[in-house]
Amino acid sequence: PGRGRRAGSRRVYGTLEDLLGGDIFSDFFRTFFGDFERAAGRRPGRRAEQELEVTLADAYTGAVKPYDIIGPDGRAHRVEVRIPPGVRDGDVVRVTVPGLGDLSFRAKVRPDPQFERKGDDLYVEVPVKLTTCILGGEVEVPTSTGKLILKIPPGTQNGQVFRLRGQGMPRPENPSQRGDLYARVRVVLPTRLTDRQRALFEELARLETAETYAGAR
Amino acid sequence: PGRGRRAGSRRVYGTLEDLLGGDIFSDFFRTFFGDFERAAGRRPGRRAEQELEVTLADAYTGAVKPYDIIGPDGRAHRVEVRIPPGVRDGDVVRVTVPGLGDLSFRAKVRPDPQFERKGDDLYVEVPVKLTTCILGGEVEVPTSTGKLILKIPPGTQNGQVFRLRGQGMPRPENPSQRGDLYARVRVVLPTRLTDRQRALFEELARLETAETYAGAR
């Protein structure tokens, strides 16, 4: 059952049981049992690195990820890889393991279904009801750690972007500083109208002039 | 003035005058004056190819692009490169030039500001006024060659996608067949309201129930 948790040809993390029952001839093990130098030699100046998948939430808070390896003694060792807050895709984390030397892990930050990351900034789409956009109001904006209330001013256009300063990813150099969160308004329109509601929209349509949409693109 | 028309370190196309006044030691010329085999040998099994930039409109209709080269005789030759309709990014077009042999050009289809291409399908965003989405109506959809009228049914949601069958890119294998055009509705909201219009939206807000937005996400 643990076999579903593989990324490409490399096991990323799992229980030791999964690991021993699984693919013990993965790239990583072959590397350890003598091919290390050859592997590193394929790209001059580069060391063999293992990919370690982390979620955006892990990258936000930082995390400790277990990683199991078989040492030259033939025994399994659990390595704890410390992912620093704000880790960026491709960052390399090193771990010194007594008896095994230095291991390098390259963080692969998985794309998030909700947040898009650009540098240390995050982008999120926020559904907002039509009448809230037109008349103003408040909406909840998801953040990496919870929710925030965002004030929507009257006359907010579909697609408008609000910057929530300091609500982005921690900066790895200084995790007390953070990037920004950009919230993009996606207007949600009514799906079902009563006769009265339809009549109101019909009157709005009759009252429209060039001025009504002035400046909108 | 012709120097602006360069893509990376390679001249793509321009007048002969531009060319002779410009970078006559480009990769392409060096290749021709004796380095051809070495250049091709860098990647076994591959021939030296020149990049040729085309617009999406060129790719749609097909085009003939001039390309000027200096032959071993020291004279300039204008080559006409025939871009087939529907050409895809990375497709290779070959031209036989008497006295110079076969030249290979790799089409680089420039991203279009309006249309996104995926395979032979095109995607375009269509701004639609609020009242047209709610009550239905018609909008113009840009296509690669002009405009089409799209009927918007009443109750169209923001972000809804309409498929316009056969309005995409020609299929290079058979240019009489074409991919589809996907038109994505982007609702445009009023920017300025009269007191009466605002009063109508306020009544709409008061009349809203869970049913009003049922099923909307």
Side-chain angles (χ1 to χ4, degrees), chain A residues 129 131 157-158 186-187 189 191-192 196 203 208 211-214 217, chain B residues 129 131 157-158 186-187 189 191-192 196 203 208 211-214 217:
Chain A
K129 288 193 298 183
T131 48
Q157 186 55 266
N158 185 29
R186 177 172 57 80
V187 173
L189 302 186
T191 53
R192 294 180 200 186
R196 176 62 187 157
E203 185 172 348
E208 269 173 16
E211 188 73 356
T212 308
Y213 292 97
R217 288 182 316 113
Chain B
K129 288 193 298 184
T131 48
Q157 186 55 266
N158 184 28
R186 177 173 58 79
V187 173
L189 301 187
T191 54
R192 293 179 201 187
R196 175 61 187 158
E203 185 172 348
E208 268 173 15
E211 188 73 357
T212 308
Y213 291 97
R217 287 180 318 113

PDB file of all heavy atoms in Angstrom, chain A residues 129 131 157-158 186-187 189 191-192 196 203 208 211-214 217, chain B residues 129 131 157-158 186-187 189 191-192 196 203 208 211-214 217:
ATOM      1  N   LYS A 129     -18.991  37.715  -4.204  1.00  0.00           N
ATOM      2  CA  LYS A 129     -20.331  37.838  -4.772  1.00  0.00           C
ATOM      3  C   LYS A 129     -20.489  39.164  -5.499  1.00  0.00           C
ATOM      4  O   LYS A 129     -19.922  40.190  -5.084  1.00  0.00           O
ATOM      5  CB  LYS A 129     -21.384  37.750  -3.658  1.00  0.00           C
ATOM      6  CG  LYS A 129     -21.533  36.359  -3.088  1.00  0.00           C
ATOM      7  CD  LYS A 129     -22.786  36.226  -2.234  1.00  0.00           C
ATOM      8  CE  LYS A 129     -22.740  37.148  -1.025  1.00  0.00           C
ATOM      9  NZ  LYS A 129     -23.936  36.964  -0.167  1.00  0.00           N
ATOM     10  N   THR A 131     -22.841  41.400  -5.641  1.00  0.00           N
ATOM     11  CA  THR A 131     -23.308  42.581  -4.907  1.00  0.00           C
ATOM     12  C   THR A 131     -22.245  43.110  -3.951  1.00  0.00           C
ATOM     13  O   THR A 131     -22.203  44.305  -3.670  1.00  0.00           O
ATOM     14  CB  THR A 131     -24.610  42.273  -4.146  1.00  0.00           C
ATOM     15  OG1 THR A 131     -24.431  41.040  -3.433  1.00  0.00           O
ATOM     16  CG2 THR A 131     -25.785  42.131  -5.113  1.00  0.00           C
ATOM     17  N   GLN A 157     -13.656  45.958  -9.272  1.00  0.00           N
ATOM     18  CA  GLN A 157     -13.787  45.308 -10.575  1.00  0.00           C
ATOM     19  C   GLN A 157     -13.388  43.839 -10.481  1.00  0.00           C
ATOM     20  O   GLN A 157     -12.536  43.460  -9.664  1.00  0.00           O
ATOM     21  CB  GLN A 157     -12.914  46.040 -11.605  1.00  0.00           C
ATOM     22  CG  GLN A 157     -13.053  45.571 -13.053  1.00  0.00           C
ATOM     23  CD  GLN A 157     -14.462  45.592 -13.597  1.00  0.00           C
ATOM     24  OE1 GLN A 157     -15.173  44.584 -13.548  1.00  0.00           O
ATOM     25  NE2 GLN A 157     -14.884  46.749 -14.103  1.00  0.00           N
ATOM     26  N   ASN A 158     -14.010  43.041 -11.322  1.00  0.00           N
ATOM     27  CA  ASN A 158     -13.604  41.646 -11.491  1.00  0.00           C
ATOM     28  C   ASN A 158     -12.127  41.590 -11.863  1.00  0.00           C
ATOM     29  O   ASN A 158     -11.681  42.319 -12.739  1.00  0.00           O
ATOM     30  CB  ASN A 158     -14.450  41.038 -12.618  1.00  0.00           C
ATOM     31  CG  ASN A 158     -14.201  39.560 -12.817  1.00  0.00           C
ATOM     32  OD1 ASN A 158     -13.847  38.845 -11.886  1.00  0.00           O
ATOM     33  ND2 ASN A 158     -14.405  39.095 -14.048  1.00  0.00           N
ATOM     34  N   ARG A 186     -12.323  37.244  -7.974  1.00  0.00           N
ATOM     35  CA  ARG A 186     -13.076  36.585  -9.053  1.00  0.00           C
ATOM     36  C   ARG A 186     -14.559  36.735  -8.721  1.00  0.00           C
ATOM     37  O   ARG A 186     -15.045  36.162  -7.749  1.00  0.00           O
ATOM     38  CB  ARG A 186     -12.697  35.106  -9.152  1.00  0.00           C
ATOM     39  CG  ARG A 186     -13.518  34.363 -10.204  1.00  0.00           C
ATOM     40  CD  ARG A 186     -13.012  32.949 -10.425  1.00  0.00           C
ATOM     41  NE  ARG A 186     -12.998  32.150  -9.216  1.00  0.00           N
ATOM     42  CZ  ARG A 186     -14.066  31.549  -8.699  1.00  0.00           C
ATOM     43  NH1 ARG A 186     -15.243  31.670  -9.270  1.00  0.00           N
ATOM     44  NH2 ARG A 186     -13.962  30.836  -7.594  1.00  0.00           N
ATOM     45  N   VAL A 187     -15.228  37.530  -9.525  1.00  0.00           N
ATOM     46  CA  VAL A 187     -16.631  37.825  -9.238  1.00  0.00           C
ATOM     47  C   VAL A 187     -17.495  36.597  -9.493  1.00  0.00           C
ATOM     48  O   VAL A 187     -17.345  35.926 -10.517  1.00  0.00           O
ATOM     49  CB  VAL A 187     -17.114  38.980 -10.125  1.00  0.00           C
ATOM     50  CG1 VAL A 187     -18.617  39.181  -9.966  1.00  0.00           C
ATOM     51  CG2 VAL A 187     -16.379  40.244  -9.769  1.00  0.00           C
ATOM     52  N   LEU A 189     -21.301  35.384 -10.089  1.00  0.00           N
ATOM     53  CA  LEU A 189     -22.598  35.934 -10.503  1.00  0.00           C
ATOM     54  C   LEU A 189     -23.736  35.051 -10.005  1.00  0.00           C
ATOM     55  O   LEU A 189     -23.557  33.847  -9.781  1.00  0.00           O
ATOM     56  CB  LEU A 189     -22.655  36.024 -12.032  1.00  0.00           C
ATOM     57  CG  LEU A 189     -21.567  36.860 -12.701  1.00  0.00           C
ATOM     58  CD1 LEU A 189     -21.850  36.978 -14.197  1.00  0.00           C
ATOM     59  CD2 LEU A 189     -21.462  38.225 -12.055  1.00  0.00           C
ATOM     60  N   THR A 191     -26.799  32.604  -9.988  1.00  0.00           N
ATOM     61  CA  THR A 191     -27.132  31.489 -10.877  1.00  0.00           C
ATOM     62  C   THR A 191     -28.647  31.354 -11.057  1.00  0.00           C
ATOM     63  O   THR A 191     -29.093  30.803 -12.054  1.00  0.00           O
ATOM     64  CB  THR A 191     -26.590  30.172 -10.306  1.00  0.00           C
ATOM     65  OG1 THR A 191     -27.067  30.038  -8.959  1.00  0.00           O
ATOM     66  CG2 THR A 191     -25.058  30.181 -10.289  1.00  0.00           C
ATOM     67  N   ARG A 192     -29.410  31.808 -10.077  1.00  0.00           N
ATOM     68  CA  ARG A 192     -30.877  31.669 -10.152  1.00  0.00           C
ATOM     69  C   ARG A 192     -31.537  32.956  -9.713  1.00  0.00           C
ATOM     70  O   ARG A 192     -31.228  33.470  -8.642  1.00  0.00           O
ATOM     71  CB  ARG A 192     -31.363  30.542  -9.238  1.00  0.00           C
ATOM     72  CG  ARG A 192     -30.864  29.203  -9.705  1.00  0.00           C
ATOM     73  CD  ARG A 192     -31.342  28.118  -8.794  1.00  0.00           C
ATOM     74  NE  ARG A 192     -30.481  26.948  -8.979  1.00  0.00           N
ATOM     75  CZ  ARG A 192     -30.697  25.779  -8.411  1.00  0.00           C
ATOM     76  NH1 ARG A 192     -31.723  25.602  -7.606  1.00  0.00           N
ATOM     77  NH2 ARG A 192     -29.874  24.763  -8.639  1.00  0.00           N
ATOM     78  N   ARG A 196     -38.575  39.000  -9.719  1.00  0.00           N
ATOM     79  CA  ARG A 196     -38.262  40.356  -9.270  1.00  0.00           C
ATOM     80  C   ARG A 196     -36.779  40.680  -9.504  1.00  0.00           C
ATOM     81  O   ARG A 196     -36.428  41.770  -9.964  1.00  0.00           O
ATOM     82  CB  ARG A 196     -38.610  40.508  -7.777  1.00  0.00           C
ATOM     83  CG  ARG A 196     -38.243  41.838  -7.159  1.00  0.00           C
ATOM     84  CD  ARG A 196     -38.972  42.994  -7.816  1.00  0.00           C
ATOM     85  NE  ARG A 196     -38.484  44.291  -7.332  1.00  0.00           N
ATOM     86  CZ  ARG A 196     -38.599  45.426  -8.015  1.00  0.00           C
ATOM     87  NH1 ARG A 196     -39.180  45.446  -9.211  1.00  0.00           N
ATOM     88  NH2 ARG A 196     -38.152  46.557  -7.496  1.00  0.00           N
ATOM     89  N   GLU A 203     -33.936  46.349 -15.618  1.00  0.00           N
ATOM     90  CA  GLU A 203     -33.906  47.810 -15.496  1.00  0.00           C
ATOM     91  C   GLU A 203     -32.461  48.324 -15.543  1.00  0.00           C
ATOM     92  O   GLU A 203     -32.171  49.334 -16.189  1.00  0.00           O
ATOM     93  CB  GLU A 203     -34.600  48.274 -14.205  1.00  0.00           C
ATOM     94  CG  GLU A 203     -34.677  49.798 -14.154  1.00  0.00           C
ATOM     95  CD  GLU A 203     -35.512  50.358 -13.004  1.00  0.00           C
ATOM     96  OE1 GLU A 203     -36.245  49.580 -12.338  1.00  0.00           O
ATOM     97  OE2 GLU A 203     -35.421  51.585 -12.766  1.00  0.00           O
ATOM     98  N   GLU A 208     -28.188  51.382 -18.679  1.00  0.00           N
ATOM     99  CA  GLU A 208     -26.754  51.431 -19.001  1.00  0.00           C
ATOM    100  C   GLU A 208     -26.438  52.480 -20.048  1.00  0.00           C
ATOM    101  O   GLU A 208     -27.134  52.609 -21.039  1.00  0.00           O
ATOM    102  CB  GLU A 208     -26.277  50.066 -19.528  1.00  0.00           C
ATOM    103  CG  GLU A 208     -25.765  49.179 -18.439  1.00  0.00           C
ATOM    104  CD  GLU A 208     -25.455  47.773 -18.936  1.00  0.00           C
ATOM    105  OE1 GLU A 208     -25.353  47.564 -20.160  1.00  0.00           O
ATOM    106  OE2 GLU A 208     -25.312  46.890 -18.078  1.00  0.00           O
ATOM    107  N   GLU A 211     -21.124  55.606 -19.850  1.00  0.00           N
ATOM    108  CA  GLU A 211     -20.568  55.997 -18.552  1.00  0.00           C
ATOM    109  C   GLU A 211     -20.552  54.834 -17.558  1.00  0.00           C
ATOM    110  O   GLU A 211     -19.662  54.754 -16.704  1.00  0.00           O
ATOM    111  CB  GLU A 211     -21.413  57.162 -17.999  1.00  0.00           C
ATOM    112  CG  GLU A 211     -20.862  57.811 -16.756  1.00  0.00           C
ATOM    113  CD  GLU A 211     -19.632  58.675 -17.049  1.00  0.00           C
ATOM    114  OE1 GLU A 211     -19.162  58.707 -18.214  1.00  0.00           O
ATOM    115  OE2 GLU A 211     -19.151  59.313 -16.113  1.00  0.00           O
ATOM    116  N   THR A 212     -21.540  53.955 -17.670  1.00  0.00           N
ATOM    117  CA  THR A 212     -21.681  52.868 -16.686  1.00  0.00           C
ATOM    118  C   THR A 212     -20.423  52.008 -16.599  1.00  0.00           C
ATOM    119  O   THR A 212     -20.029  51.570 -15.521  1.00  0.00           O
ATOM    120  CB  THR A 212     -22.884  51.983 -17.071  1.00  0.00           C
ATOM    121  OG1 THR A 212     -24.034  52.810 -17.262  1.00  0.00           O
ATOM    122  CG2 THR A 212     -23.173  50.947 -15.984  1.00  0.00           C
ATOM    123  N   TYR A 213     -19.799  51.761 -17.754  1.00  0.00           N
ATOM    124  CA  TYR A 213     -18.609  50.905 -17.784  1.00  0.00           C
ATOM    125  C   TYR A 213     -17.347  51.719 -18.099  1.00  0.00           C
ATOM    126  O   TYR A 213     -16.340  51.155 -18.527  1.00  0.00           O
ATOM    127  CB  TYR A 213     -18.778  49.793 -18.824  1.00  0.00           C
ATOM    128  CG  TYR A 213     -19.839  48.775 -18.474  1.00  0.00           C
ATOM    129  CD1 TYR A 213     -21.133  48.864 -18.989  1.00  0.00           C
ATOM    130  CD2 TYR A 213     -19.546  47.689 -17.643  1.00  0.00           C
ATOM    131  CE1 TYR A 213     -22.098  47.909 -18.684  1.00  0.00           C
ATOM    132  CE2 TYR A 213     -20.499  46.743 -17.329  1.00  0.00           C
ATOM    133  CZ  TYR A 213     -21.771  46.860 -17.848  1.00  0.00           C
ATOM    134  OH  TYR A 213     -22.723  45.916 -17.535  1.00  0.00           O
ATOM    135  N   ALA A 214     -17.397  53.027 -17.876  1.00  0.00           N
ATOM    136  CA  ALA A 214     -16.275  53.889 -18.270  1.00  0.00           C
ATOM    137  C   ALA A 214     -14.957  53.391 -17.673  1.00  0.00           C
ATOM    138  O   ALA A 214     -14.859  53.126 -16.474  1.00  0.00           O
ATOM    139  CB  ALA A 214     -16.534  55.325 -17.823  1.00  0.00           C
ATOM    140  N   ARG A 217     -12.038  47.506 -18.823  1.00  0.00           N
ATOM    141  CA  ARG A 217     -11.461  46.855 -19.995  1.00  0.00           C
ATOM    142  C   ARG A 217     -11.980  45.432 -20.105  1.00  0.00           C
ATOM    143  O   ARG A 217     -12.136  44.752 -19.113  1.00  0.00           O
ATOM    144  CB  ARG A 217      -9.937  46.825 -19.897  1.00  0.00           C
ATOM    145  CG  ARG A 217      -9.317  48.183 -20.091  1.00  0.00           C
ATOM    146  CD  ARG A 217      -7.807  48.073 -20.024  1.00  0.00           C
ATOM    147  NE  ARG A 217      -7.409  47.205 -18.917  1.00  0.00           N
ATOM    148  CZ  ARG A 217      -6.818  46.024 -19.020  1.00  0.00           C
ATOM    149  NH1 ARG A 217      -6.552  45.552 -20.209  1.00  0.00           N
ATOM    150  NH2 ARG A 217      -6.502  45.314 -17.968  1.00  0.00           N
TER     151      ARG A 217
ATOM    152  N   LYS B 129     -20.076  42.262 -20.619  1.00  0.00           N
ATOM    153  CA  LYS B 129     -20.715  43.133 -19.636  1.00  0.00           C
ATOM    154  C   LYS B 129     -21.596  42.318 -18.697  1.00  0.00           C
ATOM    155  O   LYS B 129     -22.224  41.328 -19.098  1.00  0.00           O
ATOM    156  CB  LYS B 129     -21.571  44.183 -20.347  1.00  0.00           C
ATOM    157  CG  LYS B 129     -20.754  45.242 -21.042  1.00  0.00           C
ATOM    158  CD  LYS B 129     -21.604  46.437 -21.455  1.00  0.00           C
ATOM    159  CE  LYS B 129     -22.692  46.015 -22.448  1.00  0.00           C
ATOM    160  NZ  LYS B 129     -23.447  47.203 -22.928  1.00  0.00           N
ATOM    161  N   THR B 131     -24.595  42.769 -17.463  1.00  0.00           N
ATOM    162  CA  THR B 131     -25.997  42.533 -17.810  1.00  0.00           C
ATOM    163  C   THR B 131     -26.129  41.527 -18.962  1.00  0.00           C
ATOM    164  O   THR B 131     -27.123  40.809 -19.049  1.00  0.00           O
ATOM    165  CB  THR B 131     -26.690  43.863 -18.170  1.00  0.00           C
ATOM    166  OG1 THR B 131     -25.853  44.570 -19.086  1.00  0.00           O
ATOM    167  CG2 THR B 131     -26.902  44.713 -16.916  1.00  0.00           C
ATOM    168  N   GLN B 157     -21.958  32.291 -16.238  1.00  0.00           N
ATOM    169  CA  GLN B 157     -21.101  32.567 -15.076  1.00  0.00           C
ATOM    170  C   GLN B 157     -19.777  33.171 -15.531  1.00  0.00           C
ATOM    171  O   GLN B 157     -19.287  32.884 -16.622  1.00  0.00           O
ATOM    172  CB  GLN B 157     -20.864  31.273 -14.296  1.00  0.00           C
ATOM    173  CG  GLN B 157     -20.116  31.425 -12.972  1.00  0.00           C
ATOM    174  CD  GLN B 157     -20.751  32.429 -12.009  1.00  0.00           C
ATOM    175  OE1 GLN B 157     -20.366  33.607 -11.993  1.00  0.00           O
ATOM    176  NE2 GLN B 157     -21.723  31.973 -11.226  1.00  0.00           N
ATOM    177  N   ASN B 158     -19.228  34.003 -14.689  1.00  0.00           N
ATOM    178  CA  ASN B 158     -17.879  34.524 -14.883  1.00  0.00           C
ATOM    179  C   ASN B 158     -16.906  33.348 -15.018  1.00  0.00           C
ATOM    180  O   ASN B 158     -16.944  32.416 -14.214  1.00  0.00           O
ATOM    181  CB  ASN B 158     -17.510  35.373 -13.658  1.00  0.00           C
ATOM    182  CG  ASN B 158     -16.166  36.044 -13.792  1.00  0.00           C
ATOM    183  OD1 ASN B 158     -15.705  36.339 -14.892  1.00  0.00           O
ATOM    184  ND2 ASN B 158     -15.537  36.291 -12.646  1.00  0.00           N
ATOM    185  N   ARG B 186     -14.886  36.764 -19.274  1.00  0.00           N
ATOM    186  CA  ARG B 186     -14.438  37.578 -18.154  1.00  0.00           C
ATOM    187  C   ARG B 186     -15.457  38.693 -17.964  1.00  0.00           C
ATOM    188  O   ARG B 186     -15.601  39.564 -18.819  1.00  0.00           O
ATOM    189  CB  ARG B 186     -13.051  38.163 -18.430  1.00  0.00           C
ATOM    190  CG  ARG B 186     -12.572  39.094 -17.293  1.00  0.00           C
ATOM    191  CD  ARG B 186     -11.130  39.537 -17.469  1.00  0.00           C
ATOM    192  NE  ARG B 186     -10.896  40.232 -18.726  1.00  0.00           N
ATOM    193  CZ  ARG B 186     -11.200  41.508 -18.955  1.00  0.00           C
ATOM    194  NH1 ARG B 186     -11.771  42.232 -18.017  1.00  0.00           N
ATOM    195  NH2 ARG B 186     -10.944  42.047 -20.128  1.00  0.00           N
ATOM    196  N   VAL B 187     -16.200  38.614 -16.871  1.00  0.00           N
ATOM    197  CA  VAL B 187     -17.280  39.564 -16.640  1.00  0.00           C
ATOM    198  C   VAL B 187     -16.715  40.944 -16.333  1.00  0.00           C
ATOM    199  O   VAL B 187     -15.784  41.067 -15.531  1.00  0.00           O
ATOM    200  CB  VAL B 187     -18.161  39.096 -15.474  1.00  0.00           C
ATOM    201  CG1 VAL B 187     -19.178  40.169 -15.110  1.00  0.00           C
ATOM    202  CG2 VAL B 187     -18.869  37.817 -15.845  1.00  0.00           C
ATOM    203  N   LEU B 189     -17.659  44.544 -14.753  1.00  0.00           N
ATOM    204  CA  LEU B 189     -18.656  45.145 -13.863  1.00  0.00           C
ATOM    205  C   LEU B 189     -18.749  46.650 -14.101  1.00  0.00           C
ATOM    206  O   LEU B 189     -17.775  47.274 -14.559  1.00  0.00           O
ATOM    207  CB  LEU B 189     -18.271  44.890 -12.402  1.00  0.00           C
ATOM    208  CG  LEU B 189     -18.132  43.429 -11.993  1.00  0.00           C
ATOM    209  CD1 LEU B 189     -17.914  43.328 -10.485  1.00  0.00           C
ATOM    210  CD2 LEU B 189     -19.343  42.612 -12.423  1.00  0.00           C
ATOM    211  N   THR B 191     -18.527  50.513 -13.536  1.00  0.00           N
ATOM    212  CA  THR B 191     -17.549  51.298 -12.778  1.00  0.00           C
ATOM    213  C   THR B 191     -18.201  52.536 -12.144  1.00  0.00           C
ATOM    214  O   THR B 191     -17.707  53.055 -11.164  1.00  0.00           O
ATOM    215  CB  THR B 191     -16.409  51.768 -13.697  1.00  0.00           C
ATOM    216  OG1 THR B 191     -17.003  52.453 -14.806  1.00  0.00           O
ATOM    217  CG2 THR B 191     -15.588  50.595 -14.197  1.00  0.00           C
ATOM    218  N   ARG B 192     -19.278  53.015 -12.751  1.00  0.00           N
ATOM    219  CA  ARG B 192     -19.928  54.220 -12.233  1.00  0.00           C
ATOM    220  C   ARG B 192     -21.435  54.020 -12.229  1.00  0.00           C
ATOM    221  O   ARG B 192     -22.011  53.637 -13.238  1.00  0.00           O
ATOM    222  CB  ARG B 192     -19.604  55.428 -13.115  1.00  0.00           C
ATOM    223  CG  ARG B 192     -18.150  55.799 -13.040  1.00  0.00           C
ATOM    224  CD  ARG B 192     -17.842  56.968 -13.922  1.00  0.00           C
ATOM    225  NE  ARG B 192     -16.411  56.973 -14.204  1.00  0.00           N
ATOM    226  CZ  ARG B 192     -15.776  57.947 -14.841  1.00  0.00           C
ATOM    227  NH1 ARG B 192     -16.472  58.992 -15.279  1.00  0.00           N
ATOM    228  NH2 ARG B 192     -14.497  57.880 -15.059  1.00  0.00           N
ATOM    229  N   ARG B 196     -29.978  55.838  -9.012  1.00  0.00           N
ATOM    230  CA  ARG B 196     -31.011  54.834  -9.309  1.00  0.00           C
ATOM    231  C   ARG B 196     -30.380  53.450  -9.505  1.00  0.00           C
ATOM    232  O   ARG B 196     -30.877  52.448  -9.002  1.00  0.00           O
ATOM    233  CB  ARG B 196     -31.795  55.261 -10.559  1.00  0.00           C
ATOM    234  CG  ARG B 196     -32.822  54.258 -11.057  1.00  0.00           C
ATOM    235  CD  ARG B 196     -33.887  53.999 -10.003  1.00  0.00           C
ATOM    236  NE  ARG B 196     -34.776  52.911 -10.417  1.00  0.00           N
ATOM    237  CZ  ARG B 196     -35.506  52.188  -9.572  1.00  0.00           C
ATOM    238  NH1 ARG B 196     -35.447  52.430  -8.255  1.00  0.00           N
ATOM    239  NH2 ARG B 196     -36.289  51.227 -10.016  1.00  0.00           N
ATOM    240  N   GLU B 203     -31.271  46.804  -3.808  1.00  0.00           N
ATOM    241  CA  GLU B 203     -32.438  45.916  -3.692  1.00  0.00           C
ATOM    242  C   GLU B 203     -32.037  44.470  -4.028  1.00  0.00           C
ATOM    243  O   GLU B 203     -32.449  43.520  -3.354  1.00  0.00           O
ATOM    244  CB  GLU B 203     -33.584  46.381  -4.597  1.00  0.00           C
ATOM    245  CG  GLU B 203     -34.832  45.517  -4.377  1.00  0.00           C
ATOM    246  CD  GLU B 203     -36.085  46.004  -5.095  1.00  0.00           C
ATOM    247  OE1 GLU B 203     -36.094  47.144  -5.600  1.00  0.00           O
ATOM    248  OE2 GLU B 203     -37.059  45.218  -5.151  1.00  0.00           O
ATOM    249  N   GLU B 208     -31.100  38.775  -1.982  1.00  0.00           N
ATOM    250  CA  GLU B 208     -30.267  37.575  -2.135  1.00  0.00           C
ATOM    251  C   GLU B 208     -30.576  36.517  -1.077  1.00  0.00           C
ATOM    252  O   GLU B 208     -30.723  36.830   0.095  1.00  0.00           O
ATOM    253  CB  GLU B 208     -28.784  37.946  -2.002  1.00  0.00           C
ATOM    254  CG  GLU B 208     -28.161  38.265  -3.324  1.00  0.00           C
ATOM    255  CD  GLU B 208     -26.746  38.789  -3.172  1.00  0.00           C
ATOM    256  OE1 GLU B 208     -26.149  38.654  -2.093  1.00  0.00           O
ATOM    257  OE2 GLU B 208     -26.234  39.343  -4.161  1.00  0.00           O
ATOM    258  N   GLU B 211     -30.156  30.531  -2.428  1.00  0.00           N
ATOM    259  CA  GLU B 211     -30.577  30.064  -3.762  1.00  0.00           C
ATOM    260  C   GLU B 211     -29.985  30.913  -4.890  1.00  0.00           C
ATOM    261  O   GLU B 211     -29.710  30.404  -5.985  1.00  0.00           O
ATOM    262  CB  GLU B 211     -32.111  30.096  -3.812  1.00  0.00           C
ATOM    263  CG  GLU B 211     -32.736  29.471  -5.051  1.00  0.00           C
ATOM    264  CD  GLU B 211     -32.654  27.945  -5.040  1.00  0.00           C
ATOM    265  OE1 GLU B 211     -32.059  27.378  -4.085  1.00  0.00           O
ATOM    266  OE2 GLU B 211     -33.164  27.333  -5.976  1.00  0.00           O
ATOM    267  N   THR B 212     -29.787  32.191  -4.613  1.00  0.00           N
ATOM    268  CA  THR B 212     -29.348  33.121  -5.661  1.00  0.00           C
ATOM    269  C   THR B 212     -28.020  32.687  -6.290  1.00  0.00           C
ATOM    270  O   THR B 212     -27.825  32.817  -7.494  1.00  0.00           O
ATOM    271  CB  THR B 212     -29.177  34.548  -5.070  1.00  0.00           C
ATOM    272  OG1 THR B 212     -30.383  34.893  -4.381  1.00  0.00           O
ATOM    273  CG2 THR B 212     -28.886  35.558  -6.153  1.00  0.00           C
ATOM    274  N   TYR B 213     -27.125  32.173  -5.438  1.00  0.00           N
ATOM    275  CA  TYR B 213     -25.799  31.769  -5.934  1.00  0.00           C
ATOM    276  C   TYR B 213     -25.638  30.248  -5.924  1.00  0.00           C
ATOM    277  O   TYR B 213     -24.519  29.745  -5.934  1.00  0.00           O
ATOM    278  CB  TYR B 213     -24.696  32.411  -5.086  1.00  0.00           C
ATOM    279  CG  TYR B 213     -24.582  33.916  -5.246  1.00  0.00           C
ATOM    280  CD1 TYR B 213     -25.192  34.792  -4.344  1.00  0.00           C
ATOM    281  CD2 TYR B 213     -23.858  34.466  -6.300  1.00  0.00           C
ATOM    282  CE1 TYR B 213     -25.085  36.164  -4.486  1.00  0.00           C
ATOM    283  CE2 TYR B 213     -23.740  35.839  -6.442  1.00  0.00           C
ATOM    284  CZ  TYR B 213     -24.361  36.686  -5.537  1.00  0.00           C
ATOM    285  OH  TYR B 213     -24.241  38.046  -5.689  1.00  0.00           O
ATOM    286  N   ALA B 214     -26.768  29.505  -5.881  1.00  0.00           N
ATOM    287  CA  ALA B 214     -26.693  28.053  -5.740  1.00  0.00           C
ATOM    288  C   ALA B 214     -25.775  27.436  -6.801  1.00  0.00           C
ATOM    289  O   ALA B 214     -25.905  27.711  -7.994  1.00  0.00           O
ATOM    290  CB  ALA B 214     -28.094  27.442  -5.838  1.00  0.00           C
ATOM    291  N   ARG B 217     -19.271  28.581  -7.589  1.00  0.00           N
ATOM    292  CA  ARG B 217     -18.087  28.327  -6.771  1.00  0.00           C
ATOM    293  C   ARG B 217     -17.232  29.584  -6.696  1.00  0.00           C
ATOM    294  O   ARG B 217     -17.075  30.303  -7.641  1.00  0.00           O
ATOM    295  CB  ARG B 217     -17.244  27.199  -7.373  1.00  0.00           C
ATOM    296  CG  ARG B 217     -17.881  25.838  -7.193  1.00  0.00           C
ATOM    297  CD  ARG B 217     -16.990  24.773  -7.824  1.00  0.00           C
ATOM    298  NE  ARG B 217     -16.458  25.221  -9.112  1.00  0.00           N
ATOM    299  CZ  ARG B 217     -15.184  25.473  -9.347  1.00  0.00           C
ATOM    300  NH1 ARG B 217     -14.302  25.324  -8.414  1.00  0.00           N
ATOM    301  NH2 ARG B 217     -14.775  25.883 -10.549  1.00  0.00           N
TER     302      ARG B 217
END
